Amino acid sequence: MIKPYYSDEHVTLYHGDCREVTEWLDADVLVTDPPYGIALASGWGGHHGDLKIEGDDTTEARDAALAAWGDRPSLVFGRWSVQRPAATRAVLTWEKGEHVGMGDLRLPWKPNTEEVYVAGRWPDRTCGRGSSVLRHLAVAGTAHGAHLGRSHPTEKPTALMVDLIAACPDGIVADPFAGSGTTLVAAKRLGRKAIGVELEERYCEIAAKRLAQGVLDFGSAS
């Protein structure tokens, strides 16, 4: 049995490749921001260096994880220019305000939205439905030491992930591409159990520190 990198009464985090560390498959709902083939390279510089997302040259890791997950409920972040997961049944839009990348400077619009794909079989609703557009400001800046800004190139605001998870069916939340821990922090804030896997140890360390702060953590990370 693989020893967790971090564990408490709500969250278990593993360091490794989610195609090899499969404990996350015991969960009930998938909420994740996988590498999806855009070969992202961060130009942050400074103490961050020029960061890349491991495995982001193709959708191979994403597709393998989704195939292993099957038809259970899932929310998966993506981008319009990359082929959606085959089982997508609806698309949510994250409208992220002004803290966005440059995009194509020849166009008069900023790239201030991102897609979230809804896949799998979801249970029948017993209450009302909300908008498919979620408005949360993206996390600006970079962090050094305390979590004052982004600590991961594809950071998501914790409030966004709280909203997404709150709308999911009950049960354990899985994030096989945990990054620096937002999904896990959001699940813990909601009192839900979660299982995460992260390939890069530097992000496992950040996630573990955030999770150790408990529900008092008001930062954000991927």
Side-chain angles (χ1 to χ4, degrees):
M1 179 178 292
I2 298 175
K3 183 179 179 180
Y5 189 93
Y6 172 90
S7 182
D8 62 31
E9 62 178 329
H10 288 289
V11 177
T12 305
L13 172 65
Y14 295 93
H15 171 223
D17 189 319
C18 67
R19 290 167 288 188
E20 301 171 358
V21 180
T22 58
E23 280 77 359
W24 62 278
L25 291 170
D26 292 332
D28 302 291
V29 60
L30 177 70
V31 182
T32 193
D33 181 17
Y36 42 78
I38 62 173
L40 176 69
S42 168
W44 282 351
H47 66 274
H48 284 290
D50 294 325
L51 300 182
K52 295 183 178 181
I53 301 297
E54 193 72 27
D56 196 34
D57 295 328
T58 71
T59 63
E60 181 180 347
R62 181 199 74 176
D63 295 342
L66 293 180
W69 182 252
D71 65 354
R72 288 174 286 173
S74 58
L75 295 175
V76 184
F77 280 82
R79 176 185 169 97
W80 63 270
S81 60
V82 176
Q83 185 175 5
R84 295 170 176 169
T88 298
R89 55 186 300 181
V91 180
L92 309 179
T93 300
W94 170 34
E95 196 281 299
K96 49 190 178 180
E98 295 299 314
H99 298 313
V100 296
M102 299 299 290
D104 188 339
L105 296 179
R106 295 168 297 182
L107 300 178
W109 305 282
K110 291 182 177 181
N112 66 327
T113 63
E114 196 164 326
E115 296 183 338
V116 184
Y117 306 123
V118 183
R121 294 187 179 185
W122 290 59
D124 293 339
R125 299 292 299 169
T126 58
C127 58
R129 299 188 298 168
S131 173
S132 62
V133 178
L134 300 97
R135 294 180 172 86
H136 292 279
L137 293 179
V139 182
T142 59
H144 188 92
H147 194 82
L148 302 176
R150 289 187 298 165
S151 55
H152 188 283
T154 61
E155 195 136 353
K156 301 297 182 293
T158 305
L160 169 65
M161 304 311 296
V162 166
D163 280 358
L164 288 172
I165 294 172
C168 287
D170 293 337
I172 300 172
V173 176
D175 186 354
F177 304 99
S180 49
T182 298
T183 299
L184 307 181
V185 170
K188 186 172 182 176
R189 186 175 296 181
L190 290 167
R192 295 183 62 160
K193 294 185 180 296
I195 303 172
V197 182
E198 171 52 39
L199 182 60
E200 299 191 61
E201 188 170 9
R202 56 182 166 177
Y203 295 130
C204 283
E205 181 180 359
I206 293 171
K209 288 180 179 178
R210 295 184 65 213
L211 289 162
Q213 296 176 27
V215 297
L216 296 179
D217 183 305
F218 290 96
S220 305
S222 171

